[in-house]
Amino acid sequence: MTVIECQNVKKRYMGKNALESITFQLEDKKITGLIGRNGAGKTTLLKILAGFMKESSGEVKVFSNNPFNNLCVSENSILVDDQMSFPDTLKLTEILMMAPSFYPNWNAELATGLFEYFNLDAKQQHSKLSKGNQAMFNAIFGLATRCSLTMFDEPTNGMDEAVRTDFYRALLKEYIAYPRSILISSHHLAEIEHLLEDILLIHKGKVVFHQSLDEVKEYAVGIQGPTEKVEAYINQQEILHTKQLNRELQYTVVRKDSSMKYEGVTIQPVSASDVCMYVTSDTKGGIDDVFK
Amino acid sequence: MFLSKSSLGKVVRAQVRFKMTAYMGAVLSLIVVQLVGLIISLNGTGSMGTSIDNISIQVNIVTHDGVFMFVAIWALFVGNLITTKAYRYDDFSFVTTRLSGNIANIIILCMVSVFAGVTTFLSNYLLRVVLLLFGSSSYLKSPGILENPLSSYLNVMVIIILILTAASAGYFGGMLLQKSKVFMVLIPAFIIAIPVTKSGQAFLAYVFMENESMLFLLVKLVSITIILFALAIVTSNRLEVRA
Amino acid sequence: MSNVAILSLLPVIIMLVIAWLIFGGLKKVAKHISMNQRFNKGVIIVYTGLLLLAAVVYEFLPDSGYEMITQKEYHQFENENRAFKQAFGNNEVSKLDTKFLIEEWTQELEGDTFAIVSPGSDRPAVRGYVEWTDTKERVVEGKMYRTNLYMYGSNLKDKLPLLKMQWQGNELLIERPAKQEIKFYGFSNQLVSLSGILSRHEYGSLDMQGETYIYLKVPKHMNVVDELGFLLY
């Protein structure tokens, strides 16, 4: 079953095209990573999916409804980000007590369990929490809603290393206990790679690819060897990244073509995270180009 | 995939319950405002004097007008306050649509107005008791609540509806401000224009002056309030959140 | 738009600005007070309770105040006053309502002359009438009446000091009470700001000052020095 369906979605925002043309479908009960560089449009896309913003054109469907002003979407989806706000008149525990009347699947046990594990102060106000604790509370809230579509926008911003690891583990366990569609955005794929089944890579408001993690890992190969030899191999292929290692040696990343046979060069797999980075960079040589 | 489906009514009810606890601070500020109004009213709201054969008679009329003025401004402010980002965004951390959030806000404003209206009316009795127990002047026996229950009831209703009208004006104005900063200039200009222009004066006269009875005034005020709330709903139905 | 209207708006605008500042301050203060739900509820309940208590206490306060009259009573009293005035004007002594009679006396005088005087420069508000009798004695009979006096809907007749009539030798002194200021509180269930709008108000329209009447019976043979013009009637 399809959870999200986007057809040529555009969004003009602050005089710029935040989303150029987004087309993808998201299937049920998968953890998908929404990957992209800063300003790629991840947050805008998530806000449109959550019904916070309205697309300028194109078609957005979440659970077959347009999410903007749709009660069903609001009830069955949640977007956790660092702008989540709760009234200052309520203490954290009171917020958690309010939630079940909104979210019928609310898991109070999980919420209190995680709340205590992460040592959050029950009497504290949401806005007075440290950035890390705020992020943690939001994440707990998001997980406990058990919404069919749970979206996280950079959920670990502000969390320290140990807490991040704990959070990812909690996310995974909750997902296994109660499978749902999870869309988690990050500019740092390596950190969440172990959670993901699918990757949706967007760049400059466009979908670059939407593939399973395994496919992404097979997306490209790195060819390393003497410059002339490497260049001979790569001239018909799309170069994703290239780097002159020293006077003779060159390292170039190209789209993987299993029919190709390589000789005299070493072939290296390219990690998913690197693939995403190379695919979305404007120059082929990366930062080195600046210093040429 | 199993999707839970709540009706609009159920969500609104949950939102009203949520806002009742979340906006408690507003009620507290109402009490502070009323107390300030009461202190100012201690000297009386208006006085009338006559003199007969060397005896000058001064009657200090103590009413809730002073308290009411403050509460009306408070209502305007609260109506505006709950349209601000901080309050609108809170809704979107839970289940909501713009419509359900608006309906819940309107219900809350109605409830708060009833509370504000009744307490404003009763605050006059607090003044009466304080002035009579601690004041030196004697007093003219004035109608209590029970002497003319219908009139008391109508008086309370008028106060409640006036407060609600102020709240709805604040609410609509707030939504316009959220829509565009242009209204920062337009709204004050509009407010000044009402008593200055001919048609504005005609409007004020129509609403407040040309009434056969209090019921007419009530009906007019309720209509204005409904229109303002409806406009607020229409205005805010496209507002983006966490943008 | 007249200047008056602009001027009358000024206080409203100033008040708005002040209120805005107060609320701004309140908001800042509120941010620093972490409010407890139970405390909030407590304050609200106590406050509401206090107001209700005040309304109840007011009903039971010792009744030192004066009863308000109703519109109906008002009309009745007004008619009484009118009837009295008419009767007095027509010299129909028998028709004068005795309930307005305040004092009555009979005075024997030494000489054939007496004066009706009032100390002070202002003439007291009083209507007088002198009836001549045929008796040969030197006896003057006097009656003073006061008709209904209602101010702001309350009966003030017993509360206000009234004119005094007294003999000093051959002078009938009609004295005004000493200068005095009497203050009352009046309370209203209505918004006064709407009272002009709603045409009818609890106060104001229920004013009825009434008048003091002095009726004298004087033997024909006596001379009256009439400073107050009683003889004109």
Side-chain angles (χ1 to χ4, degrees):
Chain A
M1 169 147 189
T2 313
V3 176
I4 301 173
E5 224 182 320
C6 283
Q7 200 59 245
N8 203 12
V9 175
K10 285 192 175 68
K11 174 68 183 172
R12 272 194 74 77
Y13 180 58
M14 307 279 262
K16 281 188 294 184
N17 282 334
L19 298 181
E20 287 282 359
S21 162
I22 297 281
T23 302
F24 74 97
Q25 289 196 345
L26 203 74
E27 298 303 314
D28 195 14
K29 296 191 175 136
K30 277 188 172 176
I31 302 184
T32 307
L34 176 61
I35 310 299
R37 305 199 151 198
N38 293 332
K42 301 185 296 280
T43 302
T44 309
L45 177 59
L46 289 174
K47 281 178 181 167
I48 288 174
L49 293 175
F52 293 174
M53 288 183 178
K54 176 107 181 119
E55 68 280 3
S56 304
S57 69
E59 201 184 6
V60 181
K61 289 216 157 141
V62 176
F63 310 121
S64 317
N65 294 307
N66 184 291
F68 196 78
N69 277 341
N70 188 286
L71 207 57
C72 173
V73 173
S74 179
E75 191 174 3
N76 292 288
S77 72
I78 186 161
L79 170 59
V80 173
D81 63 8
D82 57 2
Q83 287 179 55
M84 250 184 146
S85 77
F86 295 96
D88 265 352
T89 35
L90 297 182
K91 286 177 276 185
L92 293 182
T93 38
E94 286 168 336
I95 295 169
L96 295 182
M97 263 148 54
M98 283 287 169
S101 56
F102 288 97
Y103 297 103
N105 297 330
W106 180 263
N107 185 352
E109 217 175 302
L110 173 80
T112 27
L114 288 176
F115 193 86
E116 276 160 22
Y117 176 82
F118 288 106
N119 278 326
L120 293 174
D121 179 2
K123 288 186 176 166
Q124 191 63 266
Q125 289 159 281
H126 185 264
S127 66
K128 292 204 177 135
L129 292 173
S130 70
K131 204 167 180 321
N133 279 345
Q134 221 174 58
M136 196 61 236
F137 180 84
N138 295 349
I140 292 172
F141 190 88
L143 282 179
T145 58
R146 292 197 156 169
C147 283
S148 298
L149 173 62
T150 307
M151 295 175 279
F152 294 96
D153 188 12
E154 310 275 2
T156 54
N157 263 4
M159 293 182 193
D160 66 33
E161 197 65 39
V163 175
R164 276 173 198 228
T165 320
D166 282 342
F167 163 67
Y168 288 129
R169 225 175 141 61
L171 174 76
L172 203 56
K173 290 211 161 196
E174 242 300 282
Y175 170 73
I176 291 162
Y178 196 92
R180 66 198 94 161
S181 306
I182 294 176
L183 191 56
I184 177 165
S185 94
S186 177
H187 52 259
H188 195 44
L189 175 59
E191 196 182 280
I192 57 170
E193 202 180 311
H194 63 286
L195 299 169
L196 304 179
E197 286 163 80
D198 283 358
I199 286 175
L200 174 65
L201 179 69
I202 63 172
H203 185 55
K204 291 189 174 167
K206 286 184 187 147
V207 173
V208 180
F209 57 65
H210 181 201
Q211 286 173 333
S212 75
L213 182 65
D214 295 334
E215 284 170 322
V216 175
K217 281 178 179 164
E218 298 289 303
Y219 188 84
V221 288
I223 308 169
Q224 188 176 327
T227 308
E228 332 74 83
K229 284 210 167 166
V230 172
E231 274 179 354
Y233 279 116
I234 62 173
N235 49 16
Q236 316 99 320
Q237 280 170 297
E238 189 194 341
I239 302 165
L240 297 176
H241 178 74
T242 184
K243 190 155 85 176
Q244 199 70 37
L245 296 174
N246 56 33
R247 196 157 294 186
E248 287 102 41
L249 279 179
Q250 190 184 339
Y251 174 74
T252 297
V253 177
V254 293
R255 278 293 293 263
K256 186 162 184 176
D257 183 353
S258 39
S259 62
M260 284 289 284
K261 296 267 182 279
Y262 298 99
E263 273 171 37
V265 288
T266 49
I267 302 296
Q268 295 167 352
V270 183
S271 75
S273 149
D274 284 346
V275 168
C276 290
M277 193 168 75
Y278 297 150
V279 167
T280 56
S281 69
D282 293 328
T283 55
K284 296 292 163 252
I287 190 74
D288 287 354
D289 284 0
V290 179
F291 297 98
K292 253 178 195 164
Chain B
M1 178 173 53
F2 174 76
L3 294 179
S4 36
K5 285 213 162 120
S6 294
S7 63
L8 180 66
K10 201 182 153 211
V11 172
V12 169
R13 215 173 310 142
Q15 283 185 305
V16 168
R17 268 190 49 212
F18 162 70
K19 283 163 193 277
M20 267 168 75
T21 29
Y23 299 176
M24 195 85 89
V27 179
L28 227 57
S29 71
L30 169 72
I31 293 177
V32 174
V33 166
Q34 285 189 340
L35 290 176
V36 172
L38 279 177
I39 291 167
I40 288 173
S41 302
L42 274 176
N43 282 327
T45 327
S47 65
M48 300 188 285
T50 345
S51 85
I52 304 172
D53 274 326
N54 261 350
I55 307 295
S56 85
I57 306 165
Q58 273 268 328
V59 178
N60 234 337
I61 303 286
V62 179
T63 66
H64 34 245
D65 283 62
V67 177
F68 169 77
M69 273 303 275
F70 274 86
V71 172
I73 295 169
W74 169 88
L76 202 68
F77 186 82
V78 166
N80 171 65
L81 183 74
I82 64 173
T83 64
T84 53
K85 278 183 186 164
Y87 286 80
R88 274 189 305 124
Y89 289 10
D90 286 348
D91 286 0
F92 281 83
S93 294
F94 297 98
V95 178
T96 189
T97 61
R98 283 150 194 84
L99 179 65
S100 79
N102 271 318
I103 294 174
N105 280 340
I106 291 168
I107 291 173
I108 285 287
L109 287 179
C110 287
M111 288 164 68
V112 165
S113 296
V114 170
F115 180 79
V118 172
T119 47
T120 301
F121 181 81
L122 287 178
S123 70
N124 189 237
Y125 286 84
L126 193 61
L127 266 187
R128 292 182 186 199
V129 171
V130 169
L131 285 175
L132 297 184
L133 292 182
F134 305 104
S136 48
S137 308
S138 59
Y139 74 112
L140 302 175
K141 181 85 178 173
S142 314
I145 300 172
L146 299 175
E147 256 136 85
N148 192 346
L150 182 70
S151 144
S152 300
Y153 177 72
L154 268 179
N155 279 321
V156 177
M157 278 308 283
V158 166
I159 297 170
I160 290 173
I161 298 299
L162 278 170
I163 292 170
L164 185 61
T165 309
S168 68
Y171 193 69
F172 176 50
M175 282 304 183
L176 287 178
L177 277 178
Q178 294 301 314
K179 196 83 182 170
S180 164
K181 292 285 168 241
V182 178
F183 290 103
M184 283 283 252
V185 183
L186 288 184
I187 292 174
F190 182 72
I191 290 171
I192 292 170
I194 291 178
V196 172
T197 57
K198 274 253 149 56
S199 44
Q201 285 169 348
F203 174 75
L204 285 182
Y206 170 72
V207 174
F208 290 107
M209 302 295 183
E210 293 148 20
N211 294 304
E212 306 252 320
S213 80
M214 250 196 267
L215 276 174
F216 280 79
L217 177 68
L218 277 180
V219 169
K220 284 176 190 170
L221 289 175
V222 167
S223 313
I224 292 171
T225 306
I226 290 171
I227 292 169
L228 286 172
F229 276 138
L231 286 173
I233 291 176
V234 173
T235 311
S236 62
N237 213 33
R238 299 252 126 174
L239 275 183
E240 302 196 323
V241 178
R242 296 194 209 162
Chain C
M1 182 78 186
S2 61
N3 287 330
V4 181
I6 292 173
L7 277 178
S8 68
L9 266 181
L10 212 63
V12 177
I13 293 167
I14 291 170
M15 198 155 166
L16 270 171
V17 171
I18 293 172
W20 204 256
L21 292 175
I22 292 174
F23 287 127
L26 265 182
K27 214 174 151 193
K28 262 182 205 153
V29 172
K31 259 186 190 159
H32 294 286
I33 306 168
S34 125
M35 285 199 261
N36 181 306
Q37 288 294 328
R38 199 179 294 166
F39 172 78
N40 286 357
K41 274 183 198 161
V43 169
I44 292 166
I45 289 168
V46 167
Y47 181 69
T48 317
L50 198 69
L51 291 179
L52 286 173
L53 185 73
V56 174
V57 166
Y58 178 76
E59 296 291 335
F60 288 100
L61 270 184
D63 214 353
S64 64
Y66 304 94
E67 290 296 337
M68 287 280 285
I69 48 167
T70 61
Q71 203 78 22
K72 208 174 137 197
E73 288 172 314
Y74 175 77
H75 286 304
Q76 189 201 326
F77 295 146
E78 208 176 28
N79 286 335
E80 284 175 9
N81 279 11
R82 204 174 297 128
F84 189 92
K85 190 173 181 178
Q86 210 174 8
F88 196 84
N90 297 339
N91 309 328
E92 295 165 307
V93 185
S94 56
K95 282 190 182 170
L96 295 182
D97 196 337
T98 45
K99 86 168 194 183
F100 294 134
L101 184 64
I102 293 184
E103 56 176 319
E104 198 177 2
W105 40 254
T106 312
Q107 179 84 4
E108 274 218 42
L109 295 176
E110 303 281 304
D112 276 346
T113 306
F114 79 92
I116 305 169
V117 292
S118 167
S121 50
D122 292 334
R123 191 185 175 280
V126 58
R127 280 172 182 276
Y129 178 74
V130 177
E131 189 187 335
W132 303 103
T133 59
D134 294 328
T135 170
K136 298 279 180 242
E137 290 163 57
R138 293 169 180 160
V139 173
V140 178
E141 278 176 51
K143 279 178 182 166
M144 185 161 87
Y145 299 91
R146 185 74 175 88
T147 45
N148 290 312
L149 169 56
Y150 279 88
M151 297 291 291
Y152 314 112
S154 288
N155 184 4
L156 296 187
K157 197 167 157 185
D158 313 323
K159 185 72 184 175
L160 295 183
L162 297 170
L163 289 185
K164 268 187 201 152
M165 194 160 57
Q166 68 184 96
W167 284 99
Q168 228 169 51
N170 274 356
E171 283 186 337
L172 175 61
L173 279 174
I174 295 177
E175 256 181 320
R176 302 209 297 177
K179 238 190 169 80
Q180 204 177 333
E181 196 172 66
I182 297 180
K183 276 190 180 171
F184 296 104
Y185 283 118
F187 304 105
S188 173
N189 280 332
Q190 262 181 30
L191 286 175
V192 167
S193 22
L194 285 184
S195 63
I197 296 156
L198 294 166
S199 69
R200 195 165 55 86
H201 188 259
E202 290 154 346
Y203 295 104
S205 63
L206 300 179
D207 273 11
M208 177 183 353
Q209 295 203 2
E211 273 173 301
T212 309
Y213 298 86
I214 292 174
Y215 177 83
L216 300 175
K217 259 188 187 172
V218 184
K220 269 182 182 162
H221 61 90
M222 294 196 70
N223 271 329
V224 181
V225 181
D226 176 20
E227 284 187 10
L228 297 175
F230 283 12
L231 294 178
L232 293 174
Y233 297 99

